Amino acid sequence: MSKPFVSLCPEITRSHALTLMNWLEDESVTCHLSDSRHVSRFIEQVIDRVQMPILTHVFNQGGRFFMAYDRHDMPVGFVRLVKTGVDCEIVLVIGDRDNWGRKLGASTLREGMKLAFFEMRADKLIAKIHPDNVRSLKAFLRCGFQLESETPTLASYALSSERYRWLLRENPEAEPAQIYITELDKARLLDLIALEHGPAVVELEHEIERAIVVDPRQVAGDVVTMNSRALLQLDDEEVEVALVYPEDASDSAGKLSVCSDIGTAILGYKEGDTIDWRISDRTRRICIEKVLYQPEATGDFHL
């Protein structure tokens, strides 16, 4: 069975606000949110006061707000990240009870962790959870959080950046599939990340951090490395692409930058792997049908 897929969307619309209002009217959803009345009243005021289709700037006051989507591009919940100093606090809600039990909470949490540590550069991520919120407790513990302090009404769980990065490398079962990267590609890509910005770079750093690093002479011939050519099934469309560094990218020639959505998505995967990846405003399914050329397989790389 495929693992649950969730993506976080930073753009918040009036339609999202109305969906949030519906979720927050359900007491089984709000019973564990300490500030549910305040949030519900805030959203209602926003809808009445701000006559705009996009409300992102309003929801991002004091923090970052994201809608969570499943693989069918349906909103299933939300994440709020609030940075205070070097630490960041996360609030996560799966809003529709019909989605409970699908393990979407842990998948949504992993996406929030990725943003907190790779985009917001938090040293520590904190979650404050009611002791009787069993579903949340299981999701946070499954993702590596540890108890930091507790009272009879609230427990504080935390995950450090160092532990998070260790778990990425040592707990590959939490991710869709293992990926591989050569030592040379990793070194050059880390230099690239230091200069680039944007959501795709956050994803790229995450993929590099969790990848299994191999010597160029030992990488399997069916793995997509830098400067590989591959045949992809992109939803119902078959396309041939080359994975290149940004300076060599060319849409007309089918040369995809590793910093592009699809470029980041395919790095390190092998023939037969299938990936769900949110590209622009929708989720796409990418299958690596065949690696047509790989420089490591031919010895065409530079030490």
Side-chain angles (χ1 to χ4, degrees):
M1 186 176 81
S2 60
K3 290 184 173 128
F5 173 82
V6 170
S7 60
L8 297 184
C9 175
E11 183 175 88
I12 312 299
T13 66
R14 286 185 68 83
S15 175
H16 290 146
L18 293 170
T19 298
L20 289 165
M21 281 295 297
N22 288 334
W23 289 342
L24 294 173
E25 288 174 1
D26 187 340
E27 290 186 2
S28 64
V29 173
T30 61
C31 64
H32 299 306
L33 290 176
S34 58
D35 60 347
S36 61
R37 292 179 182 175
H38 167 74
V39 173
S40 182
R41 187 166 58 250
F42 166 75
I43 295 173
E44 187 175 6
Q45 290 172 350
V46 167
I47 293 172
D48 291 340
R49 186 180 77 251
V50 184
Q51 300 302 314
M52 298 174 65
I54 306 299
L55 304 174
T56 307
H57 66 291
V58 181
F59 277 82
N60 279 347
Q61 292 178 12
R64 300 285 306 282
F65 195 96
F66 303 86
M67 291 296 290
Y69 286 86
D70 66 8
R71 71 173 68 248
H72 305 294
D73 293 326
M74 296 298 294
V76 296
F78 68 85
V79 168
R80 181 167 170 79
L81 295 168
V82 179
K83 185 98 178 283
T84 305
V86 297
D87 295 340
C88 187
E89 184 174 344
I90 185 169
V91 176
L92 183 156
V93 171
I94 301 298
D96 190 336
R97 279 187 292 173
D98 292 341
N99 286 311
W100 294 1
R102 293 174 57 194
K103 296 186 178 178
L104 293 175
S107 296
T108 304
L109 176 55
R110 289 189 185 100
E111 293 302 304
M113 291 156 58
K114 185 190 303 180
L115 291 170
F117 290 119
F118 289 126
E119 183 174 316
M120 301 176 75
R121 299 294 171 183
D123 285 352
K124 183 167 65 174
L125 187 57
I126 299 167
K128 296 177 180 177
I129 307 171
H130 286 268
D132 56 347
N133 190 351
V134 177
R135 290 182 183 275
S136 285
L137 287 171
K138 285 182 177 179
F140 279 87
L141 290 172
R142 192 181 305 126
C143 289
F145 281 71
Q146 298 174 318
L147 181 64
E148 192 171 62
S149 64
E150 63 181 330
T151 68
T153 59
L154 202 63
S156 179
Y157 287 80
L159 177 67
S160 69
S161 174
E162 182 180 2
R163 176 171 167 78
Y164 170 69
R165 291 170 186 268
W166 180 84
L167 288 169
L168 278 182
R169 296 187 295 269
E170 301 299 324
N171 188 28
E173 294 81 8
E175 300 295 334
Q178 290 184 341
I179 63 172
Y180 300 84
I181 188 171
T182 69
E183 296 168 332
L184 297 175
D185 284 348
K186 180 175 181 177
R188 187 170 177 186
L189 288 169
L190 288 176
D191 288 341
L192 175 66
I193 286 169
L195 301 174
E196 298 284 339
H197 302 281
V201 178
V202 171
E203 296 288 349
L204 179 58
E205 186 175 1
H206 171 266
E207 295 296 271
I208 292 172
E209 190 70 29
R210 76 180 186 88
I212 298 171
V213 181
V214 295
D215 184 279
R217 289 166 290 229
Q218 297 175 337
V219 65
D222 62 352
V223 172
V224 178
T225 64
M226 292 304 302
N227 298 309
S228 293
R229 279 202 330 272
L231 187 64
L232 310 179
Q233 186 77 23
L234 186 59
D235 291 334
D236 298 326
E237 178 186 7
E238 193 173 70
V239 294
E240 182 179 327
V241 301
L243 182 63
V244 299
Y245 289 96
E247 62 269 22
D248 298 320
S250 169
D251 290 339
S252 61
K255 295 181 178 181
L256 293 180
S257 167
V258 70
C259 293
S260 68
D261 291 325
I262 298 175
T264 298
I266 65 175
L267 176 67
Y269 284 92
K270 62 183 185 298
E271 289 179 12
D273 283 342
T274 299
I275 316 140
D276 286 310
W277 203 269
R278 191 168 178 85
I279 298 171
S280 298
D281 60 349
R282 66 190 177 108
T283 300
R284 309 198 68 176
R285 177 152 287 189
I286 307 168
C287 177
I288 315 292
E289 291 197 340
K290 189 171 183 59
V291 176
L292 303 171
Y293 166 77
Q294 184 209 87
E296 284 75 15
T298 61
D300 187 17
F301 59 87
H302 301 284
L303 291 173

